[in-house]
Amino acid sequence: MQVWRSLGWVLMVTGCMGAAAGAWEDRFVWVFGWDLERAQDLPEVVKVLQEAGRNGFNGAVVSFGLDTLCRRSPEFFERLRVVREVCATNGLDLIPAVFSIGYGGGFLAHDRHLAEGLPVKDALFRVEGGVARFVAEGSVALRNGGFEEHRGDRFEHYAFHDQPGEVSFADTNVVHGGGVSMRLENFRSNPHGHGRVMQEVPVRPYRCYRVSLWVRTEGLDPASAFRCLVLAGDRELAPRTFSLPSTGGWRRVHFLFNSLEHDRVRLYAGVWGGRSGRVWLDDWGLEEVGPVSVLRRPGTPVTVCGEADDRVYEEGRDFAPLENPDFNPWRGDSTAAELKRLPGSRIREGERLRVSWYHPMLIHESQVTVCMAEPRLYEIVDHEARLLAEHLRPRRVFLNMDEVRMGGTCGACAGRDMARLLGECVQRLVAALRRHLPEVQVYVWSDMFDPHHNARSNYYLVQGDFTGSWRYVPRDLVMAVWGGSPRPESLAFFAREGFPVLVACYYDADDLRDVAAWQAAAGGLPGVRGFMYTPWTRRYGLLPEFARLLGFPIRSAAAAGRPGEGGPGPAR
């Protein structure tokens, strides 16, 4: 059977090569995972660029933080100069990848308060000693969060836990607190590899909550199988992932979520798709929290009203700004802000207040989306586009407009048509680039403009619908259709819509079978400009084979530069 698979692979490769040899205008490599602020990264980048040049690539799309040039050190610019020289020596266009909305790190480096916000509405504060502090209302808590109440291996107050006595167990030997924990194992005895526990909990709409849980692992395979979920209806309110070791002692997992319009949520913890190992859970808690991460920008106003008479109080007259001194949108444990009365304030001692604000939300492990409707965003874009032109004058620029997983929730963008807002955002990014680089060719990740991918409704925490977003972007935008497995329906869609296309494939696979399938899917479609070798974990070993498969014109050693030519020089 393996012989026939190998023969089929060879036939597919040779058939595709004959159709595409020398046809591709764009022959790019994605250079990702390095930082030119680190001297040790430069030689590795140079090595990739030289290998790409020798194998007929003509563009290097680089993610070096080139949308934060105003914050870069002299050493960064010296290493960037070396990279430019190596690209020129090896026949590569240096193509900056910039302006991510979904992964807003570049914008947040300028202003952390540009993060998209979720609303907290009418939380209770009480004034004591001239300071109004948050007061949690009601008793929101998980019942039996310490797993102490059980009958054999069945735990009280949970809607379910998978296969008591077979997958889930009461463990009195390994505990974090109290005398019992829940142990999960034997995942293969579950048809899906699951070992989960769930409890439904009442909450107040539009409030911020913190979940905390102590977890221990032993030989968990895969380690990524552990998850915590907060579900309401068909929405996931806390789309988080956690990096736990396969084997490790007790560690606390904690995160925030916003209840939005919901008054009940389902809390899950455990293992999804496990193969082997064991996991222990203990001391699972839920609490309503106050202003631990308050966004301050025009689109995220703080409002303060008297509970008794609905009087609206004014910031700067009645109270000092509600701010976290250690605000960080990537963390949910900032010091809770206090609302301080000002001299002459109309707020009375002992008064009960209703306070509303907005907070950011971390998605997965590190993603913080920024608001597309906040004017300050476009001031930064214009500033950084000008610096890009001054320092690099690139012929091509790549927009990192993928996976915009929040929007439509803060005061600046709530109620907006999200498809139109996304399209207008891209229009403004392109306009800023062409203000300073009039002839620049602009590329963009395709998923947010693809109805077969992420241009849809019910997408993560977005309030609204991205369907139709492709109607609002310039038609000369090159769509980088991406993925590991081929997306023939996406390629055909953009061909019908008249967009030029770059195929961004490979995705750290062990071989190029998927790349060959992408090539077959792209064959005969109008507007396909070429391919990009796209790894995310520095896997560049298949770069030469990728070039051969796609028929890239291999350059001579004299044309491409000998190994070491145009090299990094002394590290700084």
Side-chain angles (χ1 to χ4, degrees):
M1 180 63 73
Q2 185 59 44
V3 172
W4 285 109
R5 286 200 192 99
S6 300
L7 180 57
W9 159 239
V10 170
L11 290 172
M12 180 163 59
V13 168
T14 54
C16 290
M17 284 181 67
W24 308 119
E25 180 179 354
D26 292 343
R27 306 182 300 278
F28 295 168
V29 58
W30 173 249
V31 182
F32 179 82
W34 288 286
D35 183 353
L36 292 186
E37 293 288 5
R38 296 193 298 256
Q40 66 269 26
D41 283 7
L42 182 57
E44 297 182 41
V45 171
V46 168
K47 182 179 178 182
V48 170
L49 297 175
Q50 291 173 333
E51 183 75 349
R54 283 192 292 269
N55 285 280
F57 288 78
N58 65 1
V61 184
V62 300
S63 183
F64 293 152
L66 296 176
D67 49 9
T68 53
L69 289 175
C70 68
R71 308 177 67 84
R72 295 300 175 179
S73 68
E75 292 80 10
F76 176 94
F77 284 105
E78 174 58 22
R79 294 177 194 123
L80 182 58
R81 180 193 63 78
V82 172
V83 168
R84 291 183 67 190
E85 291 178 357
V86 173
C87 283
T89 300
N90 288 274
L92 300 168
D93 264 5
L94 182 62
I95 305 169
V98 293
F99 299 146
S100 176
I101 297 294
Y103 297 82
F107 292 112
L108 297 171
H110 291 85
D111 184 349
R112 290 183 170 186
H113 291 272
L114 288 172
E116 177 60 2
L118 298 174
V120 174
K121 298 182 180 181
D122 298 328
L124 177 62
F125 280 57
R126 183 179 292 113
V127 182
E128 294 181 359
V131 177
R133 296 181 176 86
F134 169 75
V135 178
E137 294 184 84
S139 56
V140 176
L142 274 160
R143 300 181 67 187
N144 194 24
F147 301 103
E148 301 298 315
E149 300 175 49
H150 64 100
R151 296 180 181 179
D153 291 316
R154 295 184 180 273
F155 293 89
E156 302 290 333
H157 306 301
Y158 288 94
F160 80 88
H161 50 96
D162 283 316
Q163 295 165 248
E166 187 177 9
V167 171
S168 55
F169 303 86
D171 194 322
T172 57
N173 297 313
V174 179
V175 299
H176 176 263
V180 184
S181 70
M182 176 180 283
R183 187 179 76 250
L184 303 168
E185 59 182 42
N186 301 329
F187 306 119
R188 290 185 185 273
S189 67
N190 182 279
H192 307 289
H194 295 343
R196 307 157 300 166
V197 56
M198 187 274 278
Q199 186 173 139
E200 189 172 46
V201 182
V203 293
R204 290 179 177 270
Y206 295 104
R207 296 296 175 86
C208 185
Y209 293 91
R210 178 184 290 121
V211 176
S212 63
L213 174 67
W214 287 87
V215 184
R216 176 174 173 152
T217 55
E218 181 182 284
L220 178 61
D221 179 34
S224 60
F226 170 79
R227 297 188 67 189
C228 281
L229 302 179
V230 183
L231 303 183
D234 61 351
R235 299 299 291 267
E236 187 172 349
L237 302 184
R240 292 292 309 276
T241 52
F242 307 93
S243 291
L244 296 181
S246 176
T247 298
W250 289 106
R251 65 172 58 196
R252 180 173 175 253
V253 169
H254 61 96
F255 58 93
L256 300 179
F257 74 91
N258 189 298
S259 55
L260 298 176
E261 69 273 21
H262 305 286
D263 59 9
R264 300 189 72 82
V265 299
R266 304 187 303 281
L267 300 183
Y268 289 78
V271 170
W272 278 254
R275 291 189 289 267
S276 61
R278 300 196 286 183
V279 173
W280 289 263
L281 310 176
D282 207 352
D283 298 328
W284 197 2
L286 173 69
E287 60 176 334
E288 184 184 351
V289 297
V292 295
S293 194
V294 181
L295 287 166
R296 300 310 315 263
R297 54 179 171 85
T300 57
V302 172
T303 60
V304 178
C305 300
E307 183 182 60
D309 56 9
D310 291 330
R311 173 182 286 184
V312 178
Y313 294 111
E314 297 178 28
E315 183 173 292
R317 175 185 176 187
D318 297 302
F319 60 92
L322 185 69
E323 296 175 336
N324 305 102
D326 54 350
F327 173 80
N328 186 328
W330 290 277
R331 299 178 59 181
D333 55 358
S334 301
T335 303
E338 295 180 337
L339 196 69
K340 297 180 180 179
R341 294 171 63 206
L342 293 175
S345 172
R346 295 171 294 171
I347 297 174
R348 301 179 302 277
E349 182 70 14
E351 186 174 2
R352 289 163 61 96
L353 305 173
R354 292 292 173 174
V355 181
S356 301
W357 67 91
Y358 295 83
H359 67 88
M361 180 71 188
L362 186 65
I363 293 178
H364 295 310
E365 288 188 275
S366 60
Q367 182 176 2
V368 177
T369 298
V370 297
C371 176
M372 294 182 284
E374 194 66 63
R376 167 72 175 139
L377 188 82
Y378 300 100
E379 296 173 9
I380 295 169
V381 168
D382 187 75
H383 172 67
E384 289 293 340
R386 177 177 57 81
L387 292 178
L388 202 61
E390 290 176 2
H391 288 281
L392 292 177
R393 293 215 63 81
R395 296 192 309 120
R396 311 175 193 186
V397 171
F398 200 104
L399 293 179
N400 282 329
M401 282 292 293
D402 58 319
E403 297 177 333
V404 180
R405 290 170 171 159
M406 289 183 66
T409 52
C410 79
C413 59
R416 295 285 300 272
D417 179 331
M418 292 306 296
R420 185 182 292 272
L421 178 60
L422 178 65
E424 291 174 351
C425 176
V426 171
Q427 290 178 35
R428 297 177 74 172
L429 298 182
V430 172
L433 288 167
R434 289 181 175 161
R435 215 166 16 249
H436 302 283
L437 298 160
E439 304 301 320
V440 72
Q441 174 68 65
V442 182
Y443 297 69
V444 65
W445 295 117
S446 66
D447 58 298
M448 299 308 306
F449 312 98
D450 182 354
H452 305 287
H453 205 165
N454 295 331
R456 55 183 174 84
S457 62
N458 200 22
Y459 182 58
Y460 279 78
L461 294 174
V462 175
Q463 295 295 301
D465 189 346
F466 284 129
T467 301
S469 57
W470 58 89
R471 300 189 183 101
Y472 304 107
V473 298
R475 288 294 169 178
D476 63 348
L477 206 60
V478 181
M479 291 289 174
V481 181
W482 58 268
S485 299
R487 293 181 174 275
E489 68 284 357
S490 299
L491 294 173
F493 169 76
F494 288 115
R496 288 195 305 272
E497 291 292 321
F499 287 98
V501 166
L502 172 73
V503 179
C505 56
Y506 169 56
Y507 275 61
D508 304 286
D510 293 330
D511 56 48
L512 299 182
R513 295 170 189 266
D514 282 338
V515 174
W518 274 103
Q519 187 179 17
L525 289 176
V528 178
R529 294 172 56 96
F531 283 72
M532 181 164 70
Y533 183 91
T534 314
W536 296 93
T537 58
R538 302 189 186 183
R539 295 188 68 175
Y540 292 91
L542 294 178
L543 205 62
E545 188 177 342
F546 183 92
R548 288 193 297 271
L549 168 63
L550 293 165
F552 290 4
I554 307 303
R555 304 171 72 217
S556 67
R562 295 176 179 82
E565 186 176 341
R572 291 174 177 261

